[in-house]
Amino acid sequence: MNRRSLKGLTLLAAGTATAGALMAAPAQAATTAATTTATTTAETCSPWSLQSGLATQVCAAITGDSVQFLGRVGLAGPPSPDFPPQPQVLSTTLSGQVAGGASLGSTAQNVNFLASTVTVTGPTGTVACGSTVSGTFAVTKFGWGPSPVTVNATVAC
């Protein structure tokens, strides 16, 4: 072989080794990501409830023995092209408690709502395994009274 052919083979071998190393890197990264322990959150939600063109829902997000309540407000259906949604300031109340036991707290806040679903973060607490928790979410606006939705969930741990 001449020098030029030998140099070409050397470059080809170096390129192949580099490509092999680069192709192996994602496999190592995937292995690392797969061994990471993930915490599982189970979410139990009430059915959506209709109230003055809006839909409301309350959820209990349970991770181990920790519970967080979430309230959601969305449109009850698609907006009408003739009457696009108008911005609204809604008053929300979200509370949680252990069934037959202590209150986990309550939050009250105003939220700006247009057309996208809005999530309200509520009380959080640590609860004994096997306990049942209950959450209530209510939305009001000038001219309408509350129409609360409720969820019950068991903390399985």
Side-chain angles (χ1 to χ4, degrees), residues 3-81:
R3 237 182 219 193
R4 209 174 241 174
S5 296
L6 191 55
K7 186 176 180 182
L9 286 174
T10 305
L11 288 174
L12 179 63
T16 303
T18 302
L22 290 175
M23 294 176 88
Q28 291 169 349
T31 302
T32 303
T35 58
T36 303
T37 303
T39 305
T40 304
T41 299
E43 195 171 272
T44 302
C45 298
S46 70
W48 286 92
S49 177
L50 302 178
Q51 179 183 0
S52 300
L54 298 177
T56 56
Q57 181 183 56
V58 62
C59 299
I62 302 170
T63 306
D65 62 353
S66 178
V67 179
Q68 179 170 36
F69 291 97
L70 307 165
R72 294 190 179 111
V73 181
L75 285 177
S80 169

Side-chain angles (χ1 to χ4, degrees):
M1 282 190 159
N2 66 25
R3 237 182 219 193
R4 209 174 241 174
S5 296
L6 191 55
K7 186 176 180 182
L9 286 174
T10 305
L11 288 174
L12 179 63
T16 303
T18 302
L22 290 175
M23 294 176 88
Q28 291 169 349
T31 302
T32 303
T35 58
T36 303
T37 303
T39 305
T40 304
T41 299
E43 195 171 272
T44 302
C45 298
S46 70
W48 286 92
S49 177
L50 302 178
Q51 179 183 0
S52 300
L54 298 177
T56 56
Q57 181 183 56
V58 62
C59 299
I62 302 170
T63 306
D65 62 353
S66 178
V67 179
Q68 179 170 36
F69 291 97
L70 307 165
R72 294 190 179 111
V73 181
L75 285 177
S80 169
D82 299 336
F83 298 100
Q86 299 299 312
Q88 302 179 54
V89 177
L90 306 173
S91 298
T92 66
T93 305
L94 182 55
S95 61
Q97 70 177 40
V98 178
S103 170
L104 297 174
S106 181
T107 60
Q109 65 187 57
N110 291 331
V111 297
N112 294 317
F113 178 79
L114 180 59
S116 299
T117 299
V118 175
T119 300
V120 177
T121 305
T124 301
T126 302
V127 180
C129 294
S131 298
T132 299
V133 293
S134 179
T136 302
F137 181 58
V139 178
T140 60
K141 181 184 167 190
F142 181 76
W144 347 314
S147 180
V149 289
T150 302
V151 67
N152 294 311
T154 301
V155 179
C157 298

